[in-house]
Amino acid sequence: MHSLLLGSRWLLVLLGFLTTQAQAAAINTSSGWNMPTGVTGISQDIYSLHMIIFWICVAIALVVFGVMFWSLFVYRKSKGAKSAHFHENTTVEVIWTAIPLLILVAMAVPATGTLKQIYDSTEADMDILVTGYQWRWHYEYMEEDISFFSNLGTPQSQVLGEEDKGDFYLLEVDKPLVVPVGKKIRFLFTSNDVIHAWWVPDLAIKKDTVPGFINESWVVIDEPGTYRGQCAELCGQNHAFMPIEVKAVSQETYATWLEEQREMAAAEAQGSQREWALDELIERGEGVYTTYCAACHQEDGSGMPPAFPALRGNPLVTGEEGYSKHIETVLYGRSGTSMPAYSDTLSVADIAAVITYERNAWGNDSGDRVQPTEISELLSDD
Amino acid sequence: MSTSSYYVPATSKWPIIAVVFMGFLAVGGGVLMTSGTSGLAPLLIGFAGIFWVMYGWFSDVLKESQSGLYDAQMDRSFRQGMAWFIFSEVMFFAAFFGALFYIRTFALPWLDGEGAKGVTALLWPDFIASWPLMATPDPAVGGPEKVVNPWTLPLINTLLLVTSSITLTFAHHALKEQQRQKLTLWMLVTLVLGGIFLVIQGVEYVHAWTELGLTLQAGVYGATFFLLTGFHGLHVTIGLIILLIMLFRILKGHFTPDQHFAFEAAAWYWHFVDVVWIGLFLFVYVF
Amino acid sequence: MVPETLTDTAAGEAAAVHGDDHHQPRGILRWLLTTNHKEIGTLYMLLSLLMFFVGGTMALIVRAELFQPGMTFVVPEFFNQMTTMHGLIMVFGAIMPAFVGLANWLIPVQIGAPDMALPRLNNFSFWLLPVAFTILLSTLFMEGGGPNFGWTFYAPLSTTYAPPSTSFFILGMHLAGISSILGAINIIATILNLRTPKMRLMDMPLFVWTWLITAFLLIAVMPVLAGVITMMLLDINFGTSFFNAAGGGDPVLFQHLFWFFGHPEVYIMILPAFGIISAIVPTFARKRLFGYASMVYATASIALLSFVVWAHHMFTVGLPLTAQLFFMYSTMLIAVPTGVKVFNWIATLFRGSITFDLPMLFALAFIVQFTIGGLSGVMLAIAPADFQYHDTYFVVAHFHYVLVPGAVFAILAAAYYWLPKWTGVYPNVKLGQAHFWLSVIGVNLTFFPMHFSGLAGMPRRIPDYALQFADFNMLSSIGGFLFGISQLLFVAVVILCIRRKGEKAPPQAWEGAEGLEWQLPSPAPLHTFDTPPEFIPERDSPSRH
Ligand code: HEA
Ligand code: HEA
Ligand code: CUA
Ligand SMILES: [Cu+2]
């Protein structure tokens, strides 16, 4: 068991309770109630720093509370204690000013060393630009011409308790960030809208993504594995629902993955030019809808009026007249409301698909088919 | 002094009335900014009310002071109150100056690719930092076309305000030496100087807004320019109103050479406004 | 007790019988118009109690949602509004007015003044607050909802992306800010100017000292808050780009300005608490406060240091290395003067003659639990480690330890200590003890597990969380409700006292208590010290030598 328990004995009472956390702990290198040791040199340094300072604080607390409770016990009036008359003593005051100062210096030395290391992001092997969006992450491999969004993978039904929650509830994404082990990766952080923070405890990186500015951080991951994290800066209503999943793989696997991504990108580019069948659009659209739209308009299109309008049976979505307004809404959003613009976030195929899906799902049955080419044309017009 | 009894002012209806009108101001302002002109009425009521309260409250204080109710201790309380109030105003402006320095020494160079956060330039490849900031990182925001030349109107304004501080000091001396005529004269001069300052500031604003493209929306330069000069101008206006009231009280013969705290408070305030201007002239206009 | 002071007491009692103001308005008008420091003090404290329950109810909504994983009780948007309002109301509506109320009641009677220096301004300062909080709370009912961006309202979430009600939020905060500044000016003027002639600065009770320094902090930083929210208002309504990089601004500038205010603000919420503890511990240890002078210097050092540590809230925003180091070192330094205070209290206990009356229970619990919160603060100050702690429940645990079993317990201790002076009867001991023990258990059950959930990786300000945090959250929620409901006992105690149900208190309500207020009758008459009282500095007083 963890050494944390040796210090404060009453914590042992919690022991039985805490061990139930052990299997959940498999999610990362945290014991379930302490900071994860992590899988990088820096994360381990931070962990030891944390433990050293923690034990110093425990020691200080034991001494201070020890003297205090001892005094309370011994000098009770009910036991006939008479109060003494001293109220000053320069020597002790100097001592209890000097000792804490020395302790603090002792803490500051290793902290300074670690901090300097963290700030040295020079000589990286690769760069990844991480951009925060309300409420998803965008990753761009700067040397590879590959970029994609990474969304919450947990279905809405688990959140609403209609379905059992999976092991990685709220910590899973549709498309993880894949990186090679053993390489120095420099992350550049920025944001498209508000401030988010990209945090993966096992990598000991937490950096704010500030719109219009770029922050840096770096990592060398030693062990292959999946490392999970979350957005750590309040960024609006779905702040809790923009997790991070980093898959560290061997360098060979990484190379294969890159190849796959390039092929997929090529296929996607082709897809946006060809004619799509209705079923094909609906199938793809359903996936897009679940990831991007269901949080507000709900899985079954019922919305949450008055905040979020229903799309099921909505004249804009079913009728002829609404057709272009519908597309416009999805492309450019509605300013002044929380309805976002998707022209930059989704591919033209996705946009065509999701609109087609909405116009045919939940009994909307308009039979309309929106083609990716139609969307491209609209977008190139402006 | 040690055994004399304390003076405690009686209750007054003015504070609570002031609170009500402050409420009007806040609600009116809020409505005006969020849903439009229906907020105008409460806002104006608020302003009118505040003026009424100031008039009433100060008249009462005046009456009490005139009837000799206040002792030296009360006088010291007023003095300290005023001094700390001015300190709070200094901190208010300090926030704005702090913002200005931060933007100039950190934010803009970073956006341009210099210093600790220089990678930021990846996002704004064409941006070049300069002060005054004529071209913003995102050209869609747009900077001013030109900025105000410090050696024209602003220089004149500096001279005006500095002189007005001096003439106010002359007035104070005259007051202490009981030279009524001189006192009135110097007060008038001070008021006129302050008035001209405001007029010039107004001319400069119109010029900046309409001809130089220097507006609140003109990037962070326009924003800081109007923030600092605007709040300063507001303080000059308040200072002028106070000085005007002092002039009326002088004409009514309210002050004596050793009992004229209201006058001194007004003078402190005016000097404070003057000092802020020097800071503005240097860091907003010149450098 | 020396004879002279006894005569004074008798005179005071006479004043209580005959001295009531005859032209005092009655009913509600009396409270609207009052310029009496005791009445205004009472008003502040009642407002604070009300706000504590309002803010507490919001916390309980938060805790109810977090009882188990999944969105079970409210929607995320409303959850964010509750978190935000809870923080704002507790900070500006509960803690600060409570301390200002105590200052109003106690400073004049502790320094032998007849009232506050500027009584009408005092009335104005108080009544601004109900207006401010009405505006603030009304935003919850506006279109688009109330503030949902956290009590720290970081731009651009609070500007470009904020609900329309934000302008009202800003104007409400302006009113609260004006109230604080004017209140602080009044307190400084009172302390510097209205002390009874023989009382030198270094003779003042520590509560007065800590408030003098707190008032200075308030005057220095509330205007900065006013400045930064004004800039927000301009960004929202007038198209400026202070916090927008596209126009050359910087969202992080907002944070610098906010925390330049915000960090001193957290000490504003603790320094008066230090003063309270420094009054109560000597009384029930029956021994003079150890290290009076060093207490004063420590308080002043904490206040001065608090101006140069603000960026420890911003370790993850990407500060340059040198800034990071500077703010780490300066933050750590604050542990030294704070330690001095803790050690002085313990040295006061050492070789005392200690009883465990109600105020003492809360004061002792304060010392222990505040120290726990302070020590976790030192952990947070270690910048590299803060990369893992920041914006997790570890931070939430830290600041609730210093604020709830810290500041709130100190306020409760003060209430139990001075209630006999305010109402003339002792607080009910049985109820008080039940309140104490339930509070201690509840508060630790709520906030101790948050250290673990935070370290294990639970971010703050989330309405739903991963499964491994479930057990800790359940404990926290149970504790939160236990603590919250226990506070009803305190309300009962206060009502009993106001109704004069209980043991009558003599002027010197506590055996070991020192200070001018204990020479006044209990309850203290409305007007006290029409003439400056005789004062014998504690250091010349025979009673504790
Ligand atoms: C009453 C309020 C109060 C007080 C007194 C403190 C006291 C301290 N706080 Fe805290 N703090 C808050 C309220 C408070 N804080 C709040 C509200 C936040 C969160 C804001 C938000 O984001 O919403 C916060 C957040 C916060 C952070 C940012 C965390 C983050 O967001 O990542 C940090 C980091 O340095 C910090 C540090 C400290 C330190 C070092 C002290 C020190 O003053 C503590 C000093 C005391 C002791 C150390 C104990 C006694 C001393 C001894 C026994 C001597 C020996 C000790 C040693 C040698 C170590 N605090
Ligand atoms: C300043 C003082 C203060 C106080 C006293 C408290 C008191 C409490 N706080 Fe906190 N809290 C903050 C200041 C404070 N808080 C701040 C600044 C934040 C940060 C906000 C932010 O992130 O922006 C915060 C955030 C915060 C969070 C994190 C929310 C999040 O990140 O999403 C939580 C979660 O548990 C919490 C819980 C509590 C609880 C359970 C109490 C309990 O102590 C409350 C006790 C409850 C009561 C006293 C209510 C009693 C009510 C009844 C018994 C019902 C009767 C009802 C009526 C009569 C109407 N608080
Ligand atoms: Cu993104 Cu929180
Ligand atoms: Cu702080």
Side-chain angles (χ1 to χ4, degrees):
Chain A
M1 259 298 94
H2 205 272
S3 55
L4 170 71
L5 295 171
L6 302 176
S8 333
R9 197 155 18 95
W10 61 271
L11 272 181
L12 282 172
V13 183
L14 279 173
L15 180 63
F17 163 73
L18 286 177
T19 41
T20 62
Q21 310 256 328
Q23 103 259 12
I27 288 175
N28 60 19
T29 53
S30 159
S31 57
W33 67 88
N34 198 359
M35 185 188 283
T37 46
V39 292
T40 71
I42 296 277
S43 76
Q44 274 140 21
D45 286 353
I46 290 182
Y47 175 79
S48 352
L49 194 59
H50 157 69
M51 288 314 285
I52 293 171
I53 311 269
F54 169 70
W55 284 117
I56 293 179
C57 287
V58 169
I60 293 172
L62 288 179
V63 171
V64 171
F65 300 154
V67 175
M68 177 174 162
F69 281 104
W70 179 79
S71 302
L72 289 178
F73 186 76
V74 173
Y75 301 111
R76 278 170 296 170
K77 189 177 181 224
S78 55
K79 286 284 164 295
K82 290 263 177 313
S83 51
H85 290 301
F86 67 88
H87 56 79
E88 241 165 20
N89 185 323
T90 313
T91 321
V92 299
E93 303 218 24
V94 169
I95 291 176
W96 69 41
T97 311
I99 291 181
L101 203 61
L102 293 178
I103 297 178
L104 291 172
V105 172
M107 290 177 175
V109 172
T112 307
T114 310
L115 199 61
K116 283 196 169 142
Q117 244 184 307
I118 292 175
Y119 267 74
D120 180 14
S121 57
T122 52
E123 292 173 31
D125 300 315
M126 56 186 281
D127 301 293
I128 297 178
L129 177 65
V130 179
T131 310
Y133 279 71
Q134 280 179 324
W135 292 273
R136 52 187 52 84
W137 294 101
H138 183 262
Y139 301 113
E140 183 180 338
Y141 292 70
M142 297 185 69
E143 292 85 6
E144 304 293 342
D145 200 28
I146 287 176
S147 67
F148 56 87
F149 279 95
S150 177
N151 296 283
L152 175 69
T154 306
Q156 197 64 10
S157 48
Q158 287 189 14
V159 176
L160 296 175
E162 293 150 5
E163 202 183 301
D164 281 349
K165 297 180 176 35
D167 283 347
F168 301 120
Y169 179 66
L170 297 188
L171 294 177
E172 55 205 338
V173 300
D174 57 354
K175 192 164 172 160
L177 176 70
V178 177
V179 292
V181 294
K183 293 263 185 205
K184 182 161 181 177
I185 305 163
R186 183 171 74 140
F187 287 107
L188 302 178
F189 297 105
T190 187
S191 165
N192 179 55
D193 35 55
V194 301
I195 303 177
H196 305 261
W198 197 83
W199 180 33
V200 180
D202 280 329
L203 309 184
I205 296 182
K206 183 186 286 141
K207 245 327 179 277
D208 289 7
T209 69
V210 181
F213 285 83
I214 292 183
N215 281 326
E216 285 177 86
S217 200
W218 63 271
V219 72
V220 178
I221 305 176
D222 303 330
E223 292 167 45
T226 302
Y227 306 111
R228 294 164 198 279
Q230 279 176 275
C231 176
E233 181 64 61
L234 177 62
C235 54
Q237 61 168 352
N238 288 343
H239 162 57
F241 306 101
M242 49 184 295
I244 296 152
E245 204 179 313
V246 179
K247 246 169 106 172
V249 295
S250 70
Q251 299 189 11
E252 301 79 66
T253 322
Y254 177 67
T256 339
W257 179 83
L258 279 182
E259 204 42 54
E260 272 169 34
Q261 295 307 305
R262 289 200 192 94
E263 280 162 22
M264 274 166 61
E268 179 71 35
Q270 238 181 7
S272 66
Q273 271 140 41
R274 72 176 165 87
E275 182 89 354
W276 288 54
L278 182 61
D279 288 352
E280 222 182 340
L281 284 168
I282 292 185
E283 194 195 324
R284 181 174 184 140
E286 181 167 11
V288 176
Y289 184 84
T290 318
T291 335
Y292 287 89
C293 323
C296 298
H297 296 292
Q298 303 304 306
E299 209 96 36
D300 61 357
S302 62
M304 278 193 261
F308 308 117
L311 299 179
R312 185 207 304 168
N314 185 326
L316 191 89
V317 180
T318 53
E320 197 55 37
E321 314 81 68
Y323 187 80
S324 52
K325 188 82 194 288
H326 185 179
I327 297 180
E328 191 184 304
T329 307
V330 179
L331 283 181
Y332 305 112
R334 292 270 174 89
S335 66
T337 77
S338 54
M339 173 66 205
Y342 285 100
S343 56
D344 292 336
T345 324
L346 294 178
S347 70
V348 288
D350 283 340
I351 294 176
V354 76
I355 295 174
T356 309
Y357 172 72
E358 286 175 349
R359 297 186 78 80
N360 291 287
W362 327 298
N364 282 354
D365 297 336
S366 68
D368 290 340
R369 213 156 37 122
V370 184
Q371 288 298 338
T373 43
E374 197 179 336
I375 304 291
S376 327
E377 269 163 40
L378 277 174
L379 284 175
S380 58
D381 281 351
D382 26 59
Chain B
M1 160 183 144
S2 69
T3 49
S4 74
S5 81
Y6 284 125
Y7 170 71
V8 179
T11 61
S12 157
K13 63 176 186 289
W14 295 115
I16 190 75
I17 298 178
V19 166
V20 172
F21 286 113
M22 294 291 281
F24 268 97
L25 272 186
V27 172
V31 174
L32 200 61
M33 282 185 278
T34 50
S35 28
T37 47
S38 52
L40 205 57
L43 189 74
L44 290 179
I45 295 177
F47 273 120
I50 294 292
F51 277 113
W52 174 51
V53 168
M54 292 224 266
Y55 180 78
W57 191 335
F58 289 139
S59 309
D60 280 3
V61 171
L62 201 62
K63 263 180 242 144
E64 287 160 11
S65 156
Q66 295 292 301
S67 50
L69 278 176
Y70 293 171
D71 50 13
Q73 193 165 43
M74 199 68 212
D75 190 59
R76 279 201 304 278
S77 292
F78 281 146
R79 267 165 208 281
Q80 286 179 356
M82 189 65 196
W84 287 106
F85 174 71
I86 290 179
F87 174 59
S88 80
E89 292 267 42
V90 169
M91 292 307 292
F92 183 68
F93 278 98
F96 296 157
F97 276 109
L100 181 70
F101 290 134
Y102 177 87
I103 296 278
R104 292 181 58 174
T105 41
F106 298 110
L108 290 177
W110 287 339
L111 287 163
D112 184 18
E114 271 167 51
K117 283 168 81 168
V119 269
T120 295
L122 269 177
L123 298 172
W124 316 104
D126 302 328
F127 175 64
I128 296 165
S130 64
W131 196 264
L133 183 69
M134 308 307 283
T136 49
D138 181 351
V141 177
E145 285 144 37
K146 281 204 199 112
V147 298
V148 177
N149 178 351
W151 306 113
T152 55
L153 295 183
L155 178 65
I156 298 178
N157 262 351
T158 310
L159 296 176
L160 286 174
L161 268 198
V162 172
T163 319
S164 77
S165 251
I166 298 171
T167 55
L168 188 60
T169 308
F170 288 162
H172 193 187
H173 281 294
L175 175 56
K176 283 200 260 189
E177 286 150 23
Q178 274 189 300
Q179 294 168 307
R180 280 287 300 278
Q181 227 158 10
K182 251 181 155 176
L183 168 59
T184 321
L185 185 74
W186 285 125
M187 280 303 283
L188 272 173
V189 175
T190 310
L191 277 165
V192 169
L193 290 172
I196 301 177
F197 173 92
L198 274 187
V199 172
I200 291 185
Q201 194 74 354
V203 171
E204 181 189 294
Y205 269 22
V206 173
H207 176 62
W209 205 284
T210 55
E211 285 159 48
L212 304 183
L214 177 56
T215 66
L216 263 178
Q217 292 86 20
V220 79
Y221 182 82
T224 48
F225 176 84
F226 283 104
L227 179 75
L228 279 151
T229 56
F231 272 101
H232 177 262
L234 198 69
H235 282 75
V236 174
T237 314
I238 298 172
L240 271 182
I241 295 175
I242 301 177
L243 286 180
L244 199 65
I245 297 172
M246 291 309 126
L247 181 62
F248 281 122
R249 292 188 54 186
I250 287 166
L251 294 177
K252 283 195 171 176
H254 280 168
F255 299 122
T256 66
D258 37 44
Q259 266 254 348
H260 52 265
F261 170 66
F263 180 90
E264 279 176 298
W268 293 351
Y269 194 80
W270 193 252
H271 294 319
F272 149 73
V273 169
D274 193 14
V275 170
V276 171
W277 175 261
I278 307 274
L280 279 184
F281 182 65
L282 291 177
F283 297 112
V284 175
Y285 291 97
V286 179
F287 295 110
Chain C
M1 219 27 68
V2 277
E4 286 94 332
T5 50
L6 282 180
T7 350
D8 251 25
T9 313
E13 231 146 328
V17 182
H18 306 292
D20 260 2
D21 235 312
H22 292 296
H23 45 267
Q24 185 87 46
R26 299 273 152 218
I28 180 86
L29 257 192
R30 162 173 171 206
W31 296 101
L32 287 174
L33 296 181
T34 181
T35 48
N36 180 284
H37 74 100
K38 300 193 184 71
E39 289 183 341
I40 292 178
T42 306
L43 284 172
Y44 265 113
M45 286 191 273
L46 291 178
L47 176 75
S48 151
L49 193 60
L50 177 70
M51 286 295 141
F52 179 63
F53 276 92
V54 173
T57 306
M58 291 169 176
L60 296 186
I61 294 174
V62 166
R63 285 301 349 150
E65 175 58 54
L66 294 176
F67 183 70
Q68 57 183 56
M71 291 310 305
T72 50
F73 182 52
V74 295
V75 294
E77 170 60 28
F78 186 68
F79 179 93
N80 288 347
Q81 293 177 28
M82 286 298 104
T83 293
T84 305
M85 277 293 190
H86 160 67
L88 288 169
I89 294 280
M90 283 298 195
V91 168
F92 294 100
I95 306 288
M96 289 173 67
F99 283 132
V100 180
L102 289 166
N104 263 290
W105 238 105
L106 295 171
I107 288 174
V109 294
Q110 288 191 328
I111 64 174
D115 205 305
M116 298 294 281
L118 306 161
R120 292 174 190 158
L121 200 64
N122 207 13
N123 172 295
F124 182 63
S125 302
F126 171 76
W127 283 109
L128 274 178
L129 282 184
V131 178
F133 291 114
T134 308
I135 292 178
L136 198 59
L137 286 169
S138 71
T139 57
L140 286 176
F141 304 98
M142 290 179 192
E143 208 181 309
N148 55 7
F149 28 61
W151 86 282
T152 51
F153 44 99
Y154 283 3
L157 187 61
S158 63
T159 54
T160 321
Y161 295 82
S165 65
T166 307
S167 297
F168 285 95
F169 153 77
I170 290 172
L171 293 168
M173 293 296 290
H174 267 309
L175 294 187
I178 295 172
S179 160
S180 281
I181 292 171
L182 296 180
I185 289 176
N186 214 338
I187 288 170
I188 291 201
T190 308
I191 296 173
L192 292 183
N193 201 16
L194 263 59
R195 268 169 293 130
T196 186
K198 287 224 181 88
M199 187 184 282
R200 291 154 291 188
L201 282 174
M202 289 307 269
D203 297 327
M204 300 192 307
L206 264 171
F207 179 71
V208 180
W209 253 117
T210 52
W211 243 116
L212 179 67
I213 292 165
T214 305
F216 168 74
L217 285 182
L218 276 169
I219 301 178
V221 301
M222 290 309 286
V224 176
L225 175 68
V228 69
I229 60 180
T230 303
M231 289 159 77
M232 277 172 69
L233 199 70
L234 292 170
D235 264 13
I236 294 173
N237 295 300
F238 300 94
T240 52
S241 19
F242 293 114
F243 309 130
N244 178 4
D250 185 352
V252 173
L253 168 62
F254 172 89
Q255 298 183 25
H256 282 292
L257 290 170
F258 179 85
W259 286 115
F260 185 84
F261 147 80
H263 186 81
E265 166 70 20
V266 307
Y267 289 120
I268 288 166
M269 294 188 284
I270 206 69
L271 294 184
F274 291 165
I276 291 165
I277 304 306
S278 303
I280 292 175
V281 167
T283 297
F284 298 100
R286 291 167 184 74
K287 182 159 158 276
R288 234 177 108 178
L289 181 69
F290 187 88
Y292 174 92
S294 72
M295 282 298 214
V296 172
Y297 299 136
T299 312
S301 321
I302 294 172
L304 289 180
L305 277 174
S306 79
F307 286 109
V308 292
V309 300
W310 75 87
H312 65 220
H313 297 273
M314 304 164 56
F315 283 147
T316 66
V317 296
L319 299 175
L321 178 62
T322 38
Q324 202 90 338
L325 288 171
F326 171 81
F327 286 108
M328 173 167 86
Y329 299 149
S330 60
T331 304
M332 293 169 77
L333 266 186
I334 296 200
V336 175
T338 318
V340 167
K341 307 207 69 129
V342 172
F343 302 143
N344 279 337
W345 291 323
I346 292 174
T348 308
L349 292 171
F350 181 70
R351 297 187 56 201
S353 167
I354 301 167
T355 52
F356 299 94
D357 300 78
L358 290 172
M360 186 65 159
L361 288 178
F362 280 93
L364 294 172
F366 170 94
I367 298 176
V368 173
Q369 300 175 126
F370 168 78
T371 303
I372 293 176
L375 292 172
S376 62
V378 171
M379 294 175 74
L380 291 169
I382 308 297
D386 186 64
F387 290 145
Q388 295 283 42
Y389 306 136
H390 177 68
D391 264 336
T392 68
Y393 265 77
F394 190 80
V395 177
V396 179
H398 156 67
F399 69 73
H400 281 93
Y401 260 87
V402 281
L403 283 169
V404 187
V408 171
F409 267 44
I411 292 164
L412 293 171
Y416 280 106
Y417 188 57
W418 280 292
L419 265 172
K421 184 53 59 193
W422 300 335
T423 64
V425 298
Y426 286 103
N428 184 304
V429 175
K430 282 228 171 70
L431 277 180
Q433 280 178 343
H435 174 219
F436 173 74
W437 288 109
L438 287 173
S439 294
V440 168
I441 294 168
V443 100
N444 287 290
L445 192 56
T446 315
F447 298 118
F448 208 78
M450 288 183 185
H451 291 110
F452 300 122
S453 47
L455 287 176
M458 178 164 163
R460 58 193 282 209
R461 297 164 167 173
I462 56 173
D464 193 4
Y465 48 85
L467 300 178
Q468 75 261 36
F469 311 125
D471 297 345
F472 292 128
N473 273 284
M474 197 171 278
L475 285 181
S476 285
S477 291
I478 295 170
F481 277 87
L482 177 64
F483 177 76
I485 291 167
S486 315
Q487 303 318 305
L488 295 175
L489 290 174
F490 176 67
V491 176
V493 169
V494 172
I495 291 177
L496 285 180
C497 282
I498 292 177
R499 295 258 192 94
R500 309 278 146 90
K501 301 250 164 58
E503 191 192 334
K504 298 269 171 299
Q508 168 97 13
W510 309 103
E511 184 191 4
E514 289 263 340
L516 288 174
E517 75 265 36
W518 303 110
Q519 302 173 10
L520 297 169
S522 304
L526 198 56
H527 295 286
T528 42
F529 301 131
D530 292 333
T531 56
E534 200 52 48
F535 171 77
I536 299 163
E538 194 169 34
R539 55 179 161 201
D540 308 330
S541 149
S543 66
R544 279 197 190 156
H545 277 278

